[in-house]
Amino acid sequence: MKKTFLRLFGLVGLILLLAACGNEEVKPVEINESTDTCEVCNMMVANDQHATQIALESGRTLVFDDLGCMYEWLDGHAEEKIAAEFVRDYHNKEWVLVDEATFVYNQSVKTPMAYNVISFKDKQTAEEFAAEHEGSTVMTATELAEHSWERNQEMMMKNKMEHHSHDQAEGMDHSGETENVDPQTEESDSSHGEDTH
Amino acid sequence: MKKFTMALLVFSCLSIPTGSEASSPIQSIIDTTPAGGTVEIEAGEYEETIVIDKPLIIVGKGDVLLRSCEKEPVVTIAGEGVKIKNITVEHCGEEEKDTAVSITGSHHLLDGMKIETRRFGIMLVEANDVTVQNSELKGRNRGNGIDLWKSNQNQIENVKVTNVTDGIYLEQSHENVLSKNSLENSRYGMHLMYSNQNVLQENSSTSNITGAMLMETDKTSVRHNMFEANKSNVNAQGLLLYEAYNTEVIENEIRGNRVGVYIEKAEKNQLVSNKIIDNFIGVQFKNANENKISQNTFIGNVNEAQAIESSANKVDNNYWDAASLVDMDGDGKSEIPYHADPYFLTLTKSVPEYQLFFQAPGLILLQNLLKSPDDQLLTDSAPLMEMSLTVEKETTSRVGLWVMSILMIIASTSVFILGRKRK
């Protein structure tokens, strides 16, 4: 009896050990600037603090040039089996698991695809950055998952508005064709903008 | 308007070297010259950074080199109406944001400049109506050549940009005209993001990873440009449209790229009267709908076109050199629609070694037997019988051809005669 118990105990221990090994095996890959392109937007991925990556359970790694692109991919691939998601520290470019990182959204921070979100290894450095830069929002990974990923504010709005007006061209008069942005149209579109993307 | 001519070298020798004035002779003249004046700089090398924030004309007399490795840009331009001519600017700083020339404000002119930088060349931030022309810019592939941010109605003309990240980069910048520029050995020749109604014309973008990249743009006009030999990178292409809308790509020459034109998630674009020649893939579509591809000439592309998950694109009246054509009513258009089949591409993607069989008779037979899935075909409803554009093809010289033929004849007859003798 005691022997079987011991064996069982040993087996459980071994499984746990193996499982732990398995987890550690998922490591971020180096970015190769000459060949890596973003899975979503096709841009070359610079080996900088904005690069992110997803390791799939199949062993394949996807790289992204901007945090926002990674979330856009996640949005469209809910069924994929993901082993790990990595982002980088804004200051020292160290790879960090998404869940352990802290994020700052600030419209004046430039990122490759203008999603304007950066990541930090420590909560403290993120808060320091936010304190130094006006208009920053500090977020945890869970909060980031709820982030709207609005790109480059009024630009996107204008783009959408023009398409919106094309779509509705038949129902409307020529006001949609004028060059000037009619504040009224813009306003009505900002509410529309959210459900189009 | 008064004209102030300053012999700088003399000036700096005469003046007693005190404080900052001695180390920045040009700046002190700029400061003392009233708005609207002219500052002429004598030939020579100057190790300083200058700031011009009032309407002035700065002219280099002979070879003038302004150089600095400081954090600040070598030349900072602000306000209105600053004109700088014939000056070489070199920034030797290695920091990420180091910039040779920084511009804000409006109505400035840069003419005949030579700029060397290790990071950014010219940076326009909220600058409007600025002209940069007849200049050269060289970098170290670690920063953009000319970088526009929230800058509208600027003209960039006849500027040669080499070895930078993006030759000319536009973000949230509208109605700019980029013409007759040459962009080489960089990441992207021209890169537009969130920028509308810009005009790219008569530029030449060669040997970059991508000739021109249009992302999140509306109403861009791309005319008479040359996108050539953007092929050394595995992700290279001549022109890339991603989420670009209402783009006019007209009368460009797209030659010898890995992919000629790549279009993804882009709608209502027009690709008309272009020469798409000698590319590995002529045109590639992915999730691209409602685009118009008409009157283009496709010659010598290894794969002419591939369309993935794309529909409602209007493809007609193109000339395809690989098409079998029959014109029964004499209108110059074939009655047989042409399916550009990326069969070779599909085949070599899984087994790259099959590339050896390019244009092998067996492969052509296979392609006719086993067509690619319908959703990958791009179908021209009425292909043209004759090419509408004149295309210069490489031709072997007549003499060379004769010499070659005679040599061949001699070789074959000698083999024949010698072989018989041995018997």
Side-chain angles (χ1 to χ4, degrees), chain A:
Chain A
M1 188 64 187
K2 202 181 168 188
K3 224 175 181 179
T4 27
F5 181 72
L6 259 177
R7 262 187 208 156
L8 199 69
F9 189 76
L11 195 70
V12 169
L14 195 71
I15 288 168
L16 280 177
L17 196 75
L18 282 175
C21 282
N23 271 345
E24 266 173 38
E25 267 171 22
V26 183
K27 285 213 172 99
V29 297
E30 282 293 308
I31 299 290
N32 183 344
E33 287 195 335
S34 57
T35 54
D36 285 345
T37 54
C38 175
E39 192 68 18
V40 171
C41 75
N42 301 311
M43 287 232 294
M44 302 295 296
V45 180
N47 191 12
D48 64 11
Q49 59 269 56
H50 301 295
T52 67
Q53 59 178 284
I54 291 178
L56 297 177
E57 281 186 2
S58 64
R60 198 174 154 223
T61 304
L62 312 172
V63 290
F64 306 88
D65 65 336
D66 191 306
L67 198 56
C69 284
M70 181 164 92
Y71 277 81
E72 195 176 323
W73 186 88
L74 286 169
D75 208 31
H77 296 81
E79 76 289 353
E80 293 275 356
K81 292 196 171 71
I82 292 159
E85 295 162 32
F86 297 98
V87 297
R88 293 178 107 170
D89 182 70
Y90 186 72
H91 296 300
N92 65 15
K93 301 184 196 170
E94 197 183 315
W95 290 101
V96 198
L97 282 166
V98 164
D99 295 332
E100 290 165 13
T102 310
F103 304 89
V104 172
Y105 171 56
N106 185 320
Q107 290 204 340
S108 55
V109 171
K110 286 192 191 174
T111 68
M113 282 296 284
Y115 283 102
N116 317 85
V117 180
I118 50 175
S119 43
F120 294 86
K121 186 172 179 254
D122 304 307
K123 200 179 172 200
Q124 198 194 335
T125 50
E127 278 164 357
E128 277 167 19
F129 183 93
E132 284 166 24
H133 298 81
E134 215 178 304
S136 299
T137 318
V138 182
M139 289 179 284
T140 62
T142 19
E143 283 164 344
L144 188 70
E146 301 296 311
H147 183 64
S148 63
W149 295 110
E150 233 160 60
R151 261 178 296 178
N152 245 314
Q153 340 89 13
E154 75 262 8
M155 243 5 282
M156 289 297 292
M157 221 79 102
K158 201 179 166 210
N159 266 345
K160 274 176 187 152
M161 191 201 70
E162 274 165 19
H163 293 288
H164 185 54
S165 65
H166 282 309
D167 297 341
Q168 294 207 334
E170 281 148 344
M172 290 162 73
D173 57 2
H174 284 290
S175 64
E177 298 292 324
T178 49
E179 300 272 314
N180 292 329
V181 178
D182 182 16
Q184 232 184 338
T185 340
E186 194 172 37
E187 219 174 85
S188 69
D189 190 69
S190 63
S191 57
H192 180 82
E194 279 162 16
D195 54 25
T196 41
H197 202 75

Side-chain angles (χ1 to χ4, degrees), chain B residues 399-420:
Chain B
V399 182
L401 209 64
W402 274 111
V403 172
M404 191 67 97
S405 321
I406 291 166
L407 278 176
M408 287 291 187
I409 291 166
I410 293 171
S412 49
T413 42
S414 59
V415 165
F416 188 64
I417 293 162
L418 289 173
R420 238 168 60 161

Side-chain angles (χ1 to χ4, degrees), chain A residues 33-37 39-46 48-49 65 72 93 107-108 110-116 151-156 158-159 162-163 166-167 177 179 197, chain B residues 96-97 123 125 147 149-150 169 171-172 174-175 187-188 191 193-197 209 213 215-219 233-235 237 240 242-243 245-246 262 264-265 267-268 286:
Chain A
E33 287 195 335
S34 57
T35 54
D36 285 345
T37 54
E39 192 68 18
V40 171
C41 75
N42 301 311
M43 287 232 294
M44 302 295 296
V45 180
D48 64 11
Q49 59 269 56
D65 65 336
E72 195 176 323
K93 301 184 196 170
Q107 290 204 340
S108 55
K110 286 192 191 174
T111 68
M113 282 296 284
Y115 283 102
N116 317 85
R151 261 178 296 178
N152 245 314
Q153 340 89 13
E154 75 262 8
M155 243 5 282
M156 289 297 292
K158 201 179 166 210
N159 266 345
E162 274 165 19
H163 293 288
H166 282 309
D167 297 341
E177 298 292 324
E179 300 272 314
H197 202 75
Chain B
E96 205 179 320
K97 289 285 159 197
M123 200 180 283
V125 177
D147 187 298
W149 194 71
K150 290 194 178 173
Y169 177 76
E171 185 170 335
Q172 297 183 62
H174 315 301
E175 297 170 42
R187 187 181 74 156
Y188 305 145
H191 188 186
M193 285 186 81
Y194 311 103
S195 297
N196 301 333
Q197 287 161 293
I209 293 177
M213 190 125 173
M215 306 178 75
E216 308 269 1
T217 62
D218 193 24
K219 298 197 182 97
N233 189 279
V234 288
N235 306 302
Q237 54 256 308
L240 187 146
Y242 179 82
E243 294 196 19
Y245 305 94
N246 307 306
Y262 180 80
E264 183 174 344
K265 290 192 195 166
E267 289 172 12
K268 300 184 176 116
K286 194 175 171 191

Side-chain angles (χ1 to χ4, degrees), chain B residues 26-27 30 48-52 58 66 73-77 84:
Chain B
I26 301 177
Q27 185 65 53
I30 289 168
E48 69 168 298
T49 61
I50 59 170
V51 178
I52 312 146
I58 315 256
L66 274 179
V74 184
V75 179
T76 305
I77 298 170
I84 303 191

